[in-house]
Amino acid sequence: MIREEKAFCEGDRVFFPYPKSEEQYFGIIEKVDPEIRNGNHQGNMWVRLKDGTVLTDDNGYHTYFHFAELLECSVFSGQKVCVGQTVPVMRDFGNRDSLGYMKVIAIAPNRPSEGYRMYGPTKVWSGEIVLARANKIPMVSGIVPKFPELQFGDPFPNAYGKSEKIILFDVEEKDYALESEGTDHLIWYTANKLRIRFNQIKEYPIQWQERLEETTDCFIDSCAKDVLLWRASLHLRTECDLIVFGNKKSSTRDTTYEIEYFESNFEFRKYLGNHFLGRDIYWPIPRKTAKALVIAKTICISTETKESK
């Protein structure tokens, strides 16, 4: 039987990538009937897995790989990995807290994408053993990149009286995962945010500038400028959160703004939709469009405390 341009025959040994137990990774095709019609697909297979479970295609296709498609070794995140090894992995589904140590059972094609995935039982951060798939290997030992004073796992104090450790470095995303005292999950930081944290910095000045354009309900320029400044303040808060201290961990003080090259004009804006008259609707009152280069400065203040999670 042909499926996804591959021939499956009775007696073929196959790898099943979505098992419920470790014994279900491998099986053998016991029967093939290409004439059976199942819903919108043609053909049916009966596959007996190693634990005795029989899978059929009655409720839709299962995915299988021939043994010939499996690799003994491949390269992930610049590191050679072979079947039978236990390696640190980041699972390629779920949230990024899913660091684990996988015993690699198989290396199979990463369909429909390119490359390969590792499959196997994985001890995750919580201590639970799960059957996972992964295509990334983080750095978890040696000197921490960009932090020559630290080895992975070395404790250091933060500015809030907690002990923290850098657990891993994502070599592809260039992010770091931190274990912080009192938390039950890993926290991700960029190199800049982690350096601020390591240096116990609680206040950090930033400057942001951008040419903004806003369509407002204002009739006077001073009102339109206030809207531009409000938009700039949102950008500042985002910078403090995303670049400096982390999401919802900061406030600002001593904020100043400069507006240059200000322009404004009134426009009639057209609104389209399925209206009862079957026509385009025009807003009867003109709206003021304002443009300007806004230069904003502030001091980002950390709002984290020792009790923060």
Side-chain angles (χ1 to χ4, degrees):
M1 184 172 70
I2 303 299
R3 180 172 300 171
E4 298 177 351
E5 300 181 352
K6 296 186 297 182
F8 289 92
C9 302
E10 293 177 4
D12 285 354
R13 298 171 68 200
V14 292
F15 171 73
F16 178 54
Y18 304 107
K20 294 182 179 179
S21 72
E22 190 174 342
E23 294 294 306
Q24 292 188 350
Y25 273 120
F26 300 102
I28 187 168
I29 300 176
E30 289 196 333
K31 182 180 177 182
V32 172
D33 191 335
E35 302 302 323
I36 292 178
R37 183 77 182 177
N38 288 321
N40 61 356
H41 66 269
Q42 184 79 23
N44 203 350
M45 283 195 301
W46 288 260
V47 176
R48 183 174 296 276
L49 302 177
K50 190 176 180 181
D51 69 345
T53 301
V54 176
L55 298 181
T56 75
D57 294 327
D58 291 340
N59 297 315
Y61 284 161
H62 290 294
T63 297
Y64 303 101
F65 297 101
H66 288 107
F67 271 32
E69 297 180 87
L70 306 182
L71 298 183
E72 185 65 26
C73 299
S74 188
V75 176
F76 298 92
S77 303
Q79 181 175 328
K80 183 179 179 180
V81 177
C82 296
V83 172
Q85 283 184 255
T86 297
V87 295
V89 297
M90 294 171 60
R91 290 185 289 166
D92 58 357
F93 62 97
N95 60 51
R96 295 184 69 205
D97 285 355
S98 50
L99 164 71
Y101 285 83
M102 174 186 287
K103 180 183 177 182
V104 181
I105 296 295
I107 299 174
N110 184 15
R111 293 199 178 97
S113 304
E114 296 180 352
Y116 286 82
R117 277 180 174 151
M118 299 168 282
Y119 293 82
T122 304
K123 186 175 182 179
V124 296
W125 188 249
S126 65
E128 180 185 5
I129 303 293
V130 301
L131 301 177
R133 60 187 187 270
N135 58 10
K136 293 170 96 175
I137 294 183
M139 186 181 296
V140 296
S141 62
I143 296 175
V144 179
K146 297 188 178 180
F147 291 83
E149 60 271 74
L150 283 176
Q151 298 263 343
F152 285 98
D154 285 350
F156 65 89
N158 64 21
Y160 317 100
K162 292 183 183 180
S163 176
E164 298 184 321
K165 301 175 184 178
I166 301 174
I167 300 301
L168 68 86
F169 175 65
D170 184 336
V171 297
E172 297 178 18
E173 300 294 333
K174 309 301 181 186
D175 289 341
Y176 303 78
L178 197 71
E179 179 188 37
S180 184
E181 180 185 346
T183 60
D184 59 359
H185 59 277
L186 299 179
I187 307 170
W188 288 90
Y189 291 96
T190 62
N192 182 63
K193 283 193 289 188
L194 188 55
R195 176 57 67 181
I196 290 170
R197 195 168 188 85
F198 178 74
N199 290 342
Q200 301 184 355
I201 295 172
K202 288 187 174 182
E203 298 186 3
Y204 194 85
I206 63 170
Q207 177 173 315
W208 174 90
Q209 69 178 50
E210 189 171 309
R211 184 162 182 81
L212 299 179
E213 179 176 347
E214 291 286 332
T215 300
T216 74
D217 293 322
C218 298
F219 287 92
I220 58 176
D221 284 347
S222 60
C223 172
K225 289 180 180 179
D226 286 341
V227 174
L228 292 177
L229 297 184
W230 169 77
R231 179 64 65 185
S233 72
L234 296 182
H235 283 286
L236 285 180
R237 288 298 304 273
T238 299
E239 294 280 304
C240 286
D241 279 351
L242 298 184
I243 296 178
V244 183
F245 290 118
N247 187 35
K248 298 180 181 179
K249 293 183 178 180
S250 67
S251 62
T252 59
R253 70 170 173 82
D254 298 341
T255 304
T256 61
Y257 302 97
E258 297 178 31
I259 293 181
E260 298 181 0
Y261 311 113
F262 178 80
E263 303 174 17
S264 69
N265 61 283
F266 285 107
E267 294 183 5
F268 285 94
R269 291 281 173 154
K270 183 170 67 174
Y271 290 81
L272 302 177
N274 295 321
H275 303 287
F276 69 96
L277 294 177
R279 302 176 184 174
D280 297 341
I281 300 298
Y282 290 82
W283 194 250
I285 302 173
R287 308 186 77 195
K288 181 177 280 290
T289 297
K291 304 177 184 179
L293 174 66
V294 180
I295 303 171
K297 299 178 183 179
T298 195
I299 297 177
C300 302
I301 308 295
S302 173
T303 58
E304 186 175 348
T305 66
K306 187 174 183 179
E307 290 71 35
S308 300
K309 297 294 186 180

